[in-house]
Amino acid sequence: MKVAVLDIKGKETGRSVELSDDVFAIEPNEHAIYLDVKQYLAHQRQGTHKAKERAEIAGSTRKIKKQKGTGTARAGSIKSPVFRGGGRIFGPRPKDYTQKLNKNMKRLARKSALSLKSKEQSLVVVEDFNFEAPKTKDFVKFLSSLGIENKKSLIVLGDSNNNVYLSSRNLERSEVVTNSGLNTYKIVNATSLVLTESALEGIESNLKK
């Protein structure tokens, strides 16, 4: 599958690149995408949630009133969950949300996500570019030239570029990553996927293994 290479102004350079069918034209496996996205979101959780139960509350251990003759329910401890300031019943405890997923499944998920973007024609290839200085205005101009300024976009670079990254950081609907930081969640979460030529080479070399 051939795709035209655009410049920073959104115009065709006269060159085109061949997208690998092994990466951008496979039959998408939606279950693999689901598993990889679920793992990514689970790994965003710290799992440090904790509430004190009645055994952990600081307070007196004396019986707060006599057993009988008060006309109300019996009560033994001020730390009981039925009282204000008492422990919590079945409160949250620290938990490890780590999920295991083998490398082949993660690779299949990324290929499936890229194939979906290619099938939906939501994938654009641009030549490698740089800004002289970090300016949000320049980055917005770049997005406008591609017609994606109002869409949720993901720009994938071959190598880290501080000027491009800092120019995009103030935009809520746009994100810049390197090809090594690309994952299934970020691909499916974006409406438009923009790859630089060097990023395309890196993605294909990583996923063809």
Side-chain angles (χ1 to χ4, degrees):
M1 177 182 175
K2 282 193 175 182
V3 176
V5 178
L6 307 181
D7 62 15
I8 195 170
K9 295 181 180 178
K11 296 179 180 178
E12 291 191 12
T13 59
R15 295 182 291 110
S16 62
V17 290
E18 185 75 32
L19 297 183
S20 170
D21 289 345
D22 294 335
V23 177
F24 293 94
I26 69 167
E27 183 64 34
N29 188 319
E30 292 187 0
H31 187 63
I33 293 175
Y34 159 74
L35 290 176
D36 201 11
V37 169
K38 187 173 78 163
Q39 186 203 43
Y40 174 83
L41 293 175
H43 287 183
Q44 304 311 298
R45 303 185 69 175
Q46 283 185 307
T48 53
H49 40 54
K50 179 72 175 78
K52 288 186 178 181
E53 299 182 0
R54 64 183 294 166
E56 300 164 313
I57 293 289
S60 173
T61 56
R62 76 177 182 85
K63 186 170 174 65
I64 58 176
K65 63 179 180 180
K66 62 182 184 177
Q67 180 79 349
K68 291 181 171 294
T70 61
T72 58
R74 56 195 174 185
S77 172
I78 196 68
K79 296 185 282 186
S80 170
V82 300
F83 294 125
R84 182 176 177 275
R88 182 167 171 188
I89 305 173
F90 303 129
R93 296 178 177 181
K95 180 180 177 180
D96 180 12
Y97 287 96
T98 301
Q99 296 181 8
K100 289 186 177 180
L101 198 63
N102 65 51
K103 287 182 181 178
N104 287 335
M105 183 66 78
K106 290 174 76 70
R107 193 174 289 124
L108 174 61
R110 264 176 290 166
K111 286 181 182 179
S112 298
L114 290 169
S115 296
L116 279 174
K117 289 297 176 195
S118 177
K119 189 176 180 181
E120 295 166 357
Q121 296 185 339
S122 301
L123 189 149
V124 179
V125 179
V126 298
E127 62 182 5
D128 292 344
F129 65 95
N130 189 17
F131 297 140
E132 292 181 2
K135 283 189 178 179
T136 305
K137 185 163 65 173
D138 290 344
F139 193 81
V140 171
K141 193 174 179 181
F142 165 65
L143 295 179
S144 299
S145 67
L146 298 177
I148 58 174
E149 68 275 16
N150 295 320
K151 297 179 180 179
K152 190 182 286 187
S153 57
L154 178 68
I155 288 77
V156 188
L157 306 177
D159 296 304
S160 59
N161 186 318
N162 211 37
N163 285 351
V164 176
Y165 169 71
L166 292 175
S167 300
S168 70
R169 197 169 57 171
N170 203 31
L171 300 175
E172 185 181 5
R173 296 170 66 85
S174 187
E175 185 178 4
V176 172
V177 297
T178 59
N179 64 332
S180 58
L182 189 65
N183 60 54
T184 306
Y185 174 79
K186 289 182 178 180
I187 296 170
V188 298
N189 190 45
T191 307
S192 298
L193 182 63
V194 180
L195 308 177
T196 62
E197 289 181 279
S198 58
L200 180 61
E201 291 175 11
I203 291 169
E204 290 186 346
S205 64
N206 287 338
L207 296 181
K208 277 183 177 179
K209 293 177 182 177

